[in-house]
């Protein structure tokens, strides 16, 4: 059974750094892309970026380029989303999702990680 | 950039009645390989999104037959033949044709009248 389990909710202050995780199981981690999707409070879904863990190829949504860093650790089948300096506007739910076929897009999703940034 | 425009944004439906959601793309979603990569997702309140339909009309495993997708080129539709209480939530279309620049529609909120 394919599973994506994300790290728990975070409360941070503006300017702090953060790295959230997405641990996968039930399939070969290096055979599929993994993506990150943002959902602002009460809003829709925004694709942030994707990574191919086999060779760490990364594609960012231009809207998020330079704002976040996506990475993966093949040894533990885990993908990451990282901020170096959080802003209040980063407060959102973040989902990871598997992409079995890149053109078909996201099939399995994690449960989401709520990130709250407040002074 | 490809823009997906959904309508309506709010859809009140009586239980047992049909529902239909439109998704229009600013560009053709026909890929050079001949396929059209348009998906539909359901997000129930407090839950993660779940894919219902991929490649316009293919239902994902476990998705009830009352959900169907259709369309071509730039115009697509998700239909629910007979709405049930568990169908309440927000529905999103998403294109993958123009990978890696995926795009989601803005979402349609389905509620029971």
């Amino acid at each position: 059974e394919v599973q994506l389990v994300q790290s728990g909710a975070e409360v941070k202050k503006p300017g702090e750094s953060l790295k959230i995780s997405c641990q996968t199981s039930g399939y070969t981690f290096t055979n599929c892309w993994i993506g990150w999707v943002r959902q602002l409070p009460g809003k829709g879904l925004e694709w942030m970026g994707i990574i191919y863990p086999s060779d760490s190829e990364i594609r960012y949504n231009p809207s998020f380029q330079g704002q976040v860093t996506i990475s993966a650790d093949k040894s533990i089948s885990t993908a990451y989303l990282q901020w170096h300096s959080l802003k209040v506007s980063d407060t959102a739910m973040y989902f990871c999702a598997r992409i079995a076929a890149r053109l078909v897009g996201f099939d399995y999703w994690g449960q989401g990680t709520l990130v709250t940034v407040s002074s | 950039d490809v823009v997906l425009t959904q309508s309506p944004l709010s859809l009140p439906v009586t239980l047992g009645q049909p529902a239909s959601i439109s998704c229009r793309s600013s560009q053709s979603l026909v890929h050079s390989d001949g396929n059209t990569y348009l998906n539909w997702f359901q997000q129930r309140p407090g839950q993660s999104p779940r894919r219902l339909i991929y490649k316009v009309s293919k239902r994902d495993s476990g998705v009830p037959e009352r959900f169907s997708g259709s369309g071509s080129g730039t115009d697509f539709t998700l239909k629910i033949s007979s709405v049930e209480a568990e169908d309440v939530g927000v529905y999103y279309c998403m294109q993958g044709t123009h990978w890696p620049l995926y795009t989601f529609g803005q979402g349609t909120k389905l509620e029971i009248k």
Side-chain angles (χ1 to χ4, degrees), chain A residues 39 47 102-104 110-111, chain B residues 39 43 48 51 96 99-100 102:
Chain A
Q39 187 166 40
W47 160 73
R102 60 182 191 173
L103 298 183
V104 179
Q111 83 277 19
Chain B
N39 303 330
Q43 188 176 29
S48 304
R51 195 177 68 188
W99 185 92
Y102 296 124

Side-chain angles (χ1 to χ4, degrees), chain A residues 33 37 39 43-47 50 57 59-60 62 95 99 101-107 109-112, chain B residues 31 33 37 39 41 43 47-51 54-55 60 92 94-97 99-102 104-106:
Chain A
W33 293 76
V37 175
Q39 187 166 40
K43 301 297 183 183
L45 304 173
E46 302 172 272
W47 160 73
I50 56 176
E57 180 180 354
R59 304 295 186 107
Y60 289 101
F95 295 100
I99 301 165
R102 60 182 191 173
L103 298 183
V104 179
F106 310 107
D107 52 3
W109 293 66
Q111 83 277 19
Chain B
H31 191 268
D33 68 5
Y37 296 97
N39 303 330
F41 293 87
Q43 188 176 29
Q47 295 188 14
S48 304
R50 167 199 182 195
R51 195 177 68 188
Y54 63 97
K55 288 173 71 174
D60 272 279
Y92 298 92
M94 191 211 91
Q95 68 82 23
T97 296
W99 185 92
L101 298 178
Y102 296 124
F104 287 98
Q106 69 270 58

Side-chain angles (χ1 to χ4, degrees), chain A residues 9-105:
Chain A
E10 300 274 1
V11 179
K12 291 289 190 179
K13 294 188 185 312
E16 291 186 333
S17 62
L18 176 64
K19 192 174 189 178
I20 62 175
S21 65
C22 172
Q23 184 170 25
T24 72
S25 60
Y27 73 99
T28 303
F29 184 62
T30 50
N31 284 357
C32 299
W33 293 76
I34 289 271
W36 288 94
V37 175
R38 183 177 79 173
Q39 187 166 40
L40 295 170
K43 301 297 183 183
L45 304 173
E46 302 172 272
W47 160 73
M48 301 176 71
I50 56 176
I51 184 168
Y52 192 61
S54 178
D55 59 7
S56 290
E57 180 180 354
I58 301 171
R59 304 295 186 107
Y60 289 101
N61 179 331
S63 298
F64 292 92
Q65 180 89 44
Q67 308 304 308
V68 295
T69 301
I70 292 171
S71 60
D73 186 335
K74 289 187 288 190
S75 68
I76 54 172
S77 300
T78 299
Y80 300 95
L81 179 64
Q82 183 175 12
W83 294 261
H84 296 291
S85 181
L86 285 160
K87 308 180 184 88
V88 172
S89 56
D90 291 319
T91 295
M93 182 71 82
Y94 294 88
F95 295 100
C96 63
R98 189 187 80 157
I99 301 165
R102 60 182 191 173
L103 298 183
V104 179

Side-chain angles (χ1 to χ4, degrees), chain B residues 9-13 19-21 67 80 83-85 87-91 108-112:
Chain B
L9 298 184
S10 179
L11 183 57
V13 183
S20 180
I21 300 170
F67 290 95
I80 308 174
V83 170
E84 298 188 7
D87 299 336
V88 165
V90 181
Y91 291 80
T108 294
K109 186 174 185 178
L110 186 149
E111 61 180 23
I112 304 300

Side-chain angles (χ1 to χ4, degrees), chain B residues 2-87:
Chain B
V2 177
V3 176
L4 297 180
T5 303
Q6 291 184 226
S7 63
L9 298 184
S10 179
L11 183 57
V13 183
T14 302
L15 286 173
Q17 291 301 300
S20 180
I21 300 170
S22 169
C23 177
R24 288 190 169 171
S25 175
S26 62
Q27 298 179 34
S28 174
L29 297 185
V30 180
H31 191 268
S32 57
D33 68 5
N35 292 305
T36 300
Y37 296 97
L38 188 282
N39 303 330
W40 288 97
F41 293 87
Q42 175 196 61
Q43 188 176 29
R44 290 172 172 152
Q47 295 188 14
S48 304
R50 167 199 182 195
R51 195 177 68 188
L52 301 174
I53 303 283
Y54 63 97
K55 288 173 71 174
V56 180
S57 59
K58 297 186 184 301
R59 259 191 312 273
D60 272 279
S61 175
V63 173
E65 289 185 7
R66 63 180 182 274
F67 290 95
S68 64
S70 63
S72 62
T74 60
D75 287 349
F76 304 92
T77 303
L78 176 70
K79 290 183 180 173
I80 308 174
S81 59
S82 176
V83 170
E84 298 188 7
E86 66 178 18
D87 299 336

